[in-house]
Amino acid sequence: MGGPSLALPGGADPVERTRVLRRAHEAFTRDGLVEPPVRAVIAKSWRRCARARVSPEARPRLELSGADLRDYRAAHPLARVMPLFRELVGAFAAHGAHLLAVCDARGGLLWVEGEPETLRRAERLGFVPGARWAETVVGTNAPGTAVALGEPVQVFGAEHFSRLVHPWTCAAAPVRDPATGRVLGAVDITGGDGLAHPHSLALVQAVARAAEAQLALLAPHPAGAARDSLTALGRDEALLVLGGRRIVLGRRHSEIMALLAQHPEGLSGEELAHALYENESVSAVTLRAEVSRLRTLLGAGNLLSRPYRTAAPVEADFTAVTRHLAAGAVSAGLSRYTGPLLPASGAPGIVRLRRRIEDQARAAVIARADAGLLTDWVCSAWGAEDPEVWRALAAALPPEGRPAALARVRALDEELGGGPQRVPRRHATYPQPARS
């Protein structure tokens, strides 16, 4: 199966590649012969198409439209990750005159989005929401073949079985249900020769994995079961939901639970003490007393020893943020970033973790260069005095909107001693959410 190291059939020259592939396609559809350099995955697909009596002139079938299509899409599991698809692929597709497409497990197109002129061209060949692009209907194509194989695939020009699709190149990867492994559908990028590069396949594979991670986060728990969770961003006293109980923790217990949530495999007494206490001479007895009080608060069996760990995984808001950011879902990650981790804590392990999370979030905001995200950051309690983000905002704004941002940059540079620099960190107290 092709992957990121995929070699282009017929060489790198697009004209030669097109000529060679069309000649091979003609030989197969005329005589049933597969000529080099047709890749094995394409040859196997062509043979399946021939057995299914797919015509080389095949066109897709429109199976859903109007209210039926809207209802089907709304109920489909992949609807929950469409915002993620749009964030990770949408801008790439629009800027490159490509399309983002998402299909179901039968090859039925659910969404097709992208640059308007490319959408009009796609409509002429029936690449539209509601049309079925299964391999058994229209022949070899990336979304249809990806769901047929359950593997990522890239299809170049005349590798498509239908001549109608020869001007196009596409790459698609299946998306699986994280609980069952069942193929839910595929995410696809479609366009011209600009997609004839291994990086296109690597991109859709990464997006599919990110979608599966997002689906795992959104998976409903069994009826009657409460998700054990820890909310510690932007508040000095963490909120723990444990077995349906809501517990506002004291500061030390907040620190312990945050560290254990970050390390579900557990921490030894020495590791936990090192992360909690600035004074390394604090005795093991002190730590055991703190843990004993926390164990009493949580209830028997919820906090284990040797190593210290929770009996069941605890989903922390800050681990969800870092997973989103690592997957490239910046908007989703920042929507859950409500402030620095336990901002008043001076525990060494918390300070290190807080800085790592903040740096990851901040770097993602700057790299995305989105004026809306940058504005949200500088309007927050933790980002209002960050000249580098203000500078990035000024660059992202249209010319008429820059003066105020640049004035703020100058004021902060003067306040912080002149010259670009990062705002000093401090243990600020941020507004605490209302307890409930």
Side-chain angles (χ1 to χ4, degrees), residues 23-354:
R23 185 177 63 196
H25 184 272
E26 290 168 5
F28 181 83
T29 55
R30 183 183 63 246
D31 305 319
L33 301 175
V34 177
E35 296 183 351
V38 176
R39 295 178 293 140
V41 64
I42 300 300
K44 291 177 181 177
S45 176
W46 284 359
R47 292 188 182 106
R48 289 194 300 272
C49 296
R51 288 195 297 271
R53 299 186 180 278
V54 178
S55 167
E57 312 300 330
R59 298 185 67 91
R61 296 197 299 262
L62 187 66
E63 296 190 342
L64 288 172
S65 61
D68 290 338
L69 174 61
R70 289 194 297 273
D71 292 345
Y72 180 64
R73 289 197 301 199
H76 197 276
L78 293 182
R80 293 178 291 170
V81 290
M82 268 308 294
L84 177 69
F85 289 147
R86 291 184 179 113
E87 180 174 359
L88 298 184
V89 183
F92 168 80
H95 294 157
H98 308 316
L99 300 177
L100 158 66
V102 177
C103 74
D104 66 11
R106 298 176 60 251
L109 294 180
L110 300 173
W111 291 272
V112 180
E113 301 177 356
E115 192 271 333
E117 177 55 33
T118 311
L119 279 172
R120 285 190 287 271
R121 290 176 53 217
E123 288 171 4
R124 290 196 287 269
L125 58 90
F127 196 77
V128 295
R132 189 156 177 239
W133 276 71
E135 200 180 62
T136 54
V137 174
V138 77
T140 309
N141 70 94
T145 301
V147 294
L149 294 176
E151 298 178 4
V153 65
Q154 190 164 14
V155 181
F156 306 96
E159 288 184 330
H160 289 92
F161 193 76
S162 172
R163 293 188 181 94
L164 181 72
V165 200
H166 282 188
W168 298 79
T169 290
C170 47
V175 180
R176 296 180 180 273
D177 184 316
T180 67
R182 178 174 62 91
V183 172
L184 299 174
V187 58
D188 166 85
I189 49 175
T190 288
D193 278 339
L195 288 177
H197 193 286
H199 291 169
S200 302
L201 185 59
L203 171 63
V204 291
Q205 287 178 280
V207 171
R209 300 296 80 76
E212 290 169 351
Q214 175 85 334
L215 287 170
L217 286 174
L218 297 173
H221 278 48
R227 181 193 292 268
D228 292 342
S229 63
L230 184 74
T231 303
L233 291 174
R235 51 189 301 154
D236 296 328
E237 296 183 334
L239 172 65
L240 176 66
V241 177
L242 186 66
R245 291 186 298 146
R246 297 169 63 86
I247 307 167
V248 177
L249 302 172
R251 291 195 179 185
R252 184 63 78 193
H253 290 165
S254 297
E255 293 164 347
I256 293 173
M257 286 303 301
L259 291 166
L260 296 183
Q262 179 68 10
H263 297 278
E265 74 284 0
L267 293 170
S268 68
E270 183 179 356
E271 290 170 329
L272 185 55
H274 181 72
L276 280 176
Y277 302 114
E278 293 180 277
N279 183 353
E280 295 184 2
S281 66
V282 171
S283 70
V285 174
T286 301
L287 175 62
R288 285 197 295 270
E290 290 281 12
V291 172
S292 178
R293 285 191 286 270
L294 178 58
R295 183 179 286 116
T296 300
L297 179 65
L298 302 187
N302 286 315
L303 187 58
L304 308 178
S305 302
R306 299 182 181 176
Y308 290 120
R309 64 200 187 279
T310 55
V314 172
E315 175 67 22
D317 55 353
F318 56 87
T319 59
V321 167
T322 57
R323 276 201 301 272
H324 282 306
L325 295 176
V330 178
S331 296
L334 293 176
S335 69
R336 301 191 64 172
Y337 185 78
T338 53
L341 173 67
L342 300 175
S345 173
I350 296 297
V351 171
R352 288 191 296 269
L353 181 56
R354 179 168 63 229

